[in-house]
Amino acid sequence: MLDSASFLKPLLDPKRSPLPCTGLDLGFGDFITESEMQGGELQAQQLGLLAAIVSQQLGAQHVCVQLDELARLYNLCVPALAEPLPMLFTSQLQELLEVAVSVSKADAEQADRVCPLVLDGQALYLQRYWQYEVALAGQLKQLAAGQLCVDHEGARDLLEQLFGAPQEGVDWQKLAVILAASRQLCVITGGPGTGKTTTVTRLMALIQGLAAHAKTAPLRIVLAAPTGKAAARLSESIAMARERLPVALRQHLPSEAATLHRLLGYQPGKSTFRHHQDNPLALDMLILDEASMVDLPLMAKLLVALPQHARLVMLGDRQQLASVEVGSVLGDICQSLPDTLWLKEQGQYDATTTRLLNQLGDAQLIPAEKSVSLVQNNLVMLRKSHRFTAASGVGQLAMAINQGQVAGVVACLRNPALSDVTWYNRAEPGQVVELMCRLLQDYMSAIAKLDLRAAFAALQGQQLLCATRRGPWGVEQLNARIELELTRRGMIKPTQELYPGCPLMVSQNDYQVRVFNGDIGICMADSDGLLKVWFMQMDGSLRALLPSRLPAWQKLYAMTIHKSQGSEFEHAIICLPQGHSSLLNRELLYTGITRARKQVSLFADEGQIQSALTSHCQRGSRLAVRLSVS
Ligand SMILES: Nc1ncnc2c1ncn2[C@@H]1O[C@H](COP(=O)(O)OP(=O)(O)OP(=O)(O)O)[C@@H](O)[C@H]1O
C-alpha cells in the first residue's frame, strides 16, 4: 500500500504527473525504495521511481520497458516530485540497475535469484511478466520444432477431395492445411473473410481422414476463442464450413467452441486454472481463434496446459488491435517475419518446408535465401478475401488503412462507386445520433412486438463503434444522447436505469451467474411482467436474469472499438475523436472497419484519419526478438 509520506505521491495527481500512476504503482515504487536503502537514499528513490514507472507501463499493456524509454519517462516524472531527483542518461540508468538488489539479470549465473524486477538485455520487466514471456517463447519454439509424419499418399487423395484439382497460382489455404497437418504449431493469419475458418475446417477433415486411413482413433480436436462472443461466432462459422465439406469427410469434427477461461477451468476467487502443467488438457489438437485478443499471461497459461504431444493452430488477424490486457502475442509472433516477406509471396520457408509444400500443395515456392527462424516456418498468411470482392468499398478501405495510405483511404471514402462506404466528413455528433435512431428502427419495432429473437437479429444489423469512452465522440456521451433522442421520439420509456428495450453488454465475467464479458443482453418483461435481461445462448435458446444478478454492464447503443473485437455487424458506424488522442492508431481504425460485414459509415475528418494512420499500437515486449533466434 502507498505510504502517505511517499516521495512518489505527487505522481498520483493527474494535474501534476506526466504519467497516470495508480496507488498500486506507487506502492510498488515505495517497496523498491525501501528494499534499496542500503545503497543510500538517493539511489533507493531513483530505483523506486523506476519501479513505479515499470508498473505503470504494465498497466498500459507493455510487458517490459526499454531502457531508453525508461530514462525518458523517468526524466519526464522527475520535475513533478516535491524534491526532484537528478536526471538520468540511459547509461547511468543501466549502471543503477546493475547494482540494485531488487533487480536480477536474465543470465544463467543469476538464475536462482528471484527479484521483483528483471533486467533482460536493454529492457526492464516485472519478474512475473518476464517469466511469462520467457516461458511462452520457449514453448512456442518447442512446438514449432515438432514435426509430424504425414502419409503423403493419403494426404494427396484427401487434399484433392477437399480442394479439388490443382489450380493456377499458389493456394495459400491449401498450403496452410498442409503446414498445420505436418507441424505441432501453425499460425494462420489473414484479414476478414480470407478463409481462416474454412481452412481449419478442411484441416480438421484432413486430420480425421488421415486417422481413419491409418485405422487409428480420431483426434480429440478442441475449438476455443478468447470471449464468449468469439466462441459463438466460431461455432457458427465452423458449422457452415462443415456443410461445404464432402459428406464423407464430415466425421468427428467438433461443433462447439469453448472460451479459453472455461477450457482452462476458471476457479472463482483464484488466479490459477484447473488445467496446468501437472493437469494438462485432454486434447490432441487445439484450434484457437481470434488469437490477437489473447494476452501474454493467458497465452502462457494455455501453452503450459497443453499436453506434450498436442498440436496448436492459432488463427487471427495480425493487423488487428492487440489484446485488451498486457502484450501483443499474435503480433509479436508475426513480427518474427520481416515486413518484406508479408508483401511478397515467396521465400519465407526453409528448404525442407518449401519442399513439403511444393510436393503436397502443387506449389512452386522458392526457399528463403537467409536462415529462417523456427516460428517463421510455421506461419501462413491468407491473402485473398473471399468476403469482399475487388469492388467492395469495405475491403478496399481496410486494405488502404493497412497500407497506411491517407490518400488511398480518402479516395475510397470519396469514391461514389463504392456504395457500401459512407463518409461523414466534418460532421457533428448530432448527425450520428440521428443516423443511429434511424438504423435502430427495426430493433425498436421488434421490441414493440415483444419479439426477442427478432430484436437480437436486428441488433446485429448495425453497431456504433467509438474509438474512445470520453468526449463528444465517445461511448459515454453518445450512449446518453441516443437514449435521449429515442425517448424524445417515443421509441423507449427509460423510467429507470434499465427499461424494456434497453440493449446492454456485460463487461465482466461472472462464472456463477454464467454471463461473460462481451455477452449481449436485451431488457424485456417476462410473462409475469417482471423486467428481466435476456441473453441468447449458443444453442439459440433464450435465458433470462433479474437485473440485480448482472455483473458490471454498459448500454449498447454505442461501444468501444476495443470491445467490438471478435464481433461483426452488417453495418459498422465508426466515430473517431476530434483533436489528439493517444488511443487513436491504425490498428484501431482497421479493427473498427473490419467489424463490418456489408457496410461502413465513418465519422471523421481527414486530419483524424491521418493521425490514426500515422500512429501504431506498439507494446513493449521482447517476444518477437526471442522467437527470431533459433
Ligand atoms: N477458397 C475459397 N473459395 C471460395 N469461397 C471461399 C473460400 N474460402 C472461404 N470462402 C468463403 O468466404 C467467406 C469467408 O470465409 P471464412 O469464414 O472461412 O473466413 P474467415 O477468415 O474465417 O472470416 P472472418 O473474418 O469472419 O474470421 C465464406 O463465405 C466462405 O465460404
Side-chain angles (χ1 to χ4, degrees):
M1 265 298 94
L2 180 62
D3 174 356
S4 59
S6 169
F7 77 104
L8 295 167
K9 210 170 166 196
L11 297 181
L12 277 184
D13 178 356
K15 288 202 199 93
R16 208 165 150 181
S17 173
L19 280 187
C21 286
T22 64
L24 209 64
D25 304 329
L26 270 47
F28 181 59
D30 284 342
F31 166 71
I32 297 295
T33 309
E34 243 170 68
S35 322
E36 294 287 346
M37 275 303 182
Q38 72 205 53
E41 190 176 348
L42 174 65
Q43 186 172 309
Q45 288 191 337
Q46 288 182 306
L47 286 161
L49 174 55
L50 291 170
I53 295 171
V54 175
S55 166
Q56 189 276 341
Q57 289 289 288
L58 185 73
Q61 288 82 45
H62 299 288
V63 181
C64 59
V65 191
Q66 293 292 329
L67 298 192
D68 285 343
E69 176 65 359
L70 189 56
R72 188 185 74 80
L73 295 173
Y74 169 97
N75 291 330
L76 210 61
C77 289
V78 159
L81 302 177
E83 287 174 43
L85 298 169
M87 299 276 181
L88 283 178
F89 290 117
T90 307
S91 55
Q92 294 168 307
L93 185 147
Q94 185 152 12
E95 282 163 22
L96 202 59
L97 296 174
E98 299 278 350
V99 296
V101 291
S102 350
V103 181
S104 56
K105 322 297 168 298
D107 53 32
E109 297 119 64
Q110 297 206 338
D112 315 338
R113 222 178 116 217
V114 179
C115 296
L117 291 158
V118 178
L119 178 62
D120 191 342
Q122 285 289 300
L124 190 61
Y125 288 78
L126 285 178
Q127 171 76 234
R128 182 136 48 107
Y129 288 83
W130 176 75
Q131 281 176 358
Y132 283 139
E133 193 180 277
V134 170
L136 179 62
Q139 276 147 351
L140 283 170
K141 289 206 281 197
Q142 195 177 333
L143 275 176
Q147 309 224 358
L148 305 164
C149 206
V150 178
D151 158 20
H152 277 215
E153 209 163 300
R156 271 193 163 279
D157 175 38
L158 289 163
L159 285 166
E160 196 166 328
Q161 291 184 53
L162 291 165
F163 288 88
Q167 311 247 320
E168 272 285 295
V170 184
D171 184 344
W172 284 101
Q173 293 187 353
K174 189 171 175 183
L175 299 192
V177 167
I178 296 165
L179 203 59
S182 55
R183 298 287 154 85
Q184 257 188 293
L185 173 72
C186 187
V187 179
I188 304 175
T189 176
T194 47
K196 299 180 289 296
T197 319
T198 307
T199 303
V200 286
T201 310
R202 286 172 171 171
L203 166 69
M204 295 190 290
L206 175 76
I207 301 268
Q208 301 299 37
L210 285 171
H213 206 250
K215 299 199 168 41
T216 54
L219 268 72
R220 292 166 301 171
I221 304 177
V222 170
L223 304 170
T227 63
K229 191 96 201 130
R233 208 162 70 79
L234 177 62
S235 309
E236 216 173 276
S237 312
I238 293 273
M240 287 195 290
R242 185 176 177 276
E243 292 305 304
R244 294 192 293 270
L245 291 176
V247 177
L249 296 179
R250 293 182 193 170
Q251 302 287 311
H252 307 297
L253 307 194
S255 55
E256 283 237 332
T259 64
L260 276 183
H261 280 80
R262 188 155 281 228
L263 176 71
L264 286 169
Y266 174 84
Q267 310 185 87
K270 290 191 185 171
S271 64
T272 53
F273 289 110
R274 215 154 20 79
H275 289 288
H276 43 71
Q277 196 160 9
D278 301 324
N279 180 25
L281 293 159
L283 53 80
D284 302 312
M285 180 177 206
L286 176 67
I287 292 173
L288 171 63
D289 196 17
E290 297 287 356
S292 61
M293 293 173 72
V294 184
D295 59 58
L296 172 70
L298 188 56
M299 194 67 97
K301 288 174 190 174
L302 174 68
L303 265 80
V304 159
L306 286 182
Q308 285 256 317
H309 73 281
R311 310 159 178 220
L312 172 64
V313 180
M314 286 192 214
L315 308 175
D317 184 350
R318 74 185 181 104
Q319 312 278 6
Q320 266 195 40
L321 276 174
S323 54
V324 175
E325 300 294 337
V326 178
S328 50
V329 176
L330 184 75
D332 290 346
I333 292 174
C334 293
Q335 233 193 63
S336 62
L337 194 63
D339 256 358
T340 47
L341 280 178
W342 289 113
L343 299 176
K344 54 182 194 175
E345 287 209 338
Q346 290 282 8
Q348 173 185 335
Y349 303 108
D350 67 13
T352 315
T353 311
T354 306
R355 200 172 321 117
L356 172 83
L357 296 176
N358 286 346
Q359 275 175 1
L360 278 180
D362 301 298
Q364 271 137 26
L365 301 183
I366 47 164
E369 285 164 12
K370 295 191 182 142
S371 76
V372 167
S373 75
L374 267 175
V375 174
Q376 185 172 329
N377 258 325
N378 298 51
L379 268 174
V380 187
M381 180 182 181
L382 303 181
R383 295 147 199 267
K384 183 176 169 200
S385 177
H386 295 276
R387 183 177 316 143
F388 303 123
T389 61
S392 142
V394 180
Q396 287 187 32
L397 192 56
M399 203 187 299
I401 291 169
N402 251 339
Q403 290 165 356
Q405 308 164 345
V406 181
V409 171
V410 171
C412 280
L413 293 170
R414 286 217 169 103
N415 186 347
L418 303 177
S419 56
D420 53 340
V421 171
T422 313
W423 187 18
Y424 292 82
N425 189 7
R426 301 205 190 98
E428 294 296 322
Q431 282 175 267
V432 78
V433 173
E434 166 69 31
L435 175 66
M436 287 314 296
C437 289
R438 193 153 41 82
L439 293 175
L440 283 166
Q441 263 166 7
D442 281 353
Y443 169 72
M444 289 301 168
S445 311
I447 293 288
K449 289 183 202 142
L450 305 180
D451 186 345
L452 265 173
R453 280 178 199 284
F456 272 106
L459 214 46
Q460 283 297 309
Q462 64 290 306
Q463 182 62 51
L464 174 56
L465 303 174
C466 305
T468 55
R469 294 201 56 73
R470 305 262 155 80
W473 291 99
V475 165
E476 287 171 5
Q477 288 195 29
L478 287 176
N479 254 331
R481 286 188 64 168
I482 293 168
E483 191 170 67
L484 209 65
E485 184 57 23
L486 290 171
T487 311
R488 201 187 63 77
R489 295 179 186 204
M491 291 162 88
I492 52 172
K493 292 192 182 66
T495 48
Q496 51 194 352
E497 181 68 349
L498 283 179
Y499 50 86
C502 181
L504 61 85
M505 184 170 64
V506 172
S507 54
Q508 202 179 25
N509 288 334
D510 187 330
Y511 287 81
Q512 243 122 38
V513 182
R514 288 188 291 121
V515 287
F516 304 98
N517 190 2
D519 282 359
I520 287 173
I522 296 176
C523 295
M524 200 181 270
D526 67 6
S527 50
D528 298 326
L530 202 58
L531 188 70
K532 297 229 169 115
V533 181
W534 299 79
F535 293 91
M536 179 87 86
Q537 308 282 93
M538 278 213 203
D539 62 2
S541 62
L542 290 163
R543 176 170 175 246
L545 282 177
L546 281 170
S548 56
R549 298 195 66 203
L550 284 184
W553 55 270
Q554 292 150 14
K555 285 185 184 159
L556 191 64
Y557 298 117
M559 70 158 96
T560 59
I561 297 177
H562 273 280
K563 281 275 176 199
S564 73
Q565 278 180 278
S567 302
E568 282 180 356
F569 313 94
E570 298 295 297
H571 183 177
I573 302 97
I574 294 151
C575 295
L576 301 188
Q578 236 138 28
H580 173 75
S581 168
S582 56
L583 295 172
L584 196 57
N585 55 47
R586 191 189 296 185
E587 292 77 7
L588 191 80
L589 183 54
Y590 174 81
T591 304
I593 299 284
T594 53
R595 299 309 87 214
R597 288 200 143 258
K598 294 207 172 115
Q599 206 179 344
V600 161
S601 296
L602 179 63
F603 286 78
D605 59 35
E606 210 170 316
Q608 292 162 282
I609 294 169
Q610 171 137 29
S611 76
L613 293 191
T614 45
S615 105
H616 264 299
C617 161
Q618 293 232 309
R619 301 235 165 125
S621 155
R622 297 190 70 239
L623 184 61
V625 177
R626 292 183 205 284
L627 294 177
S628 64
V629 288
S630 295

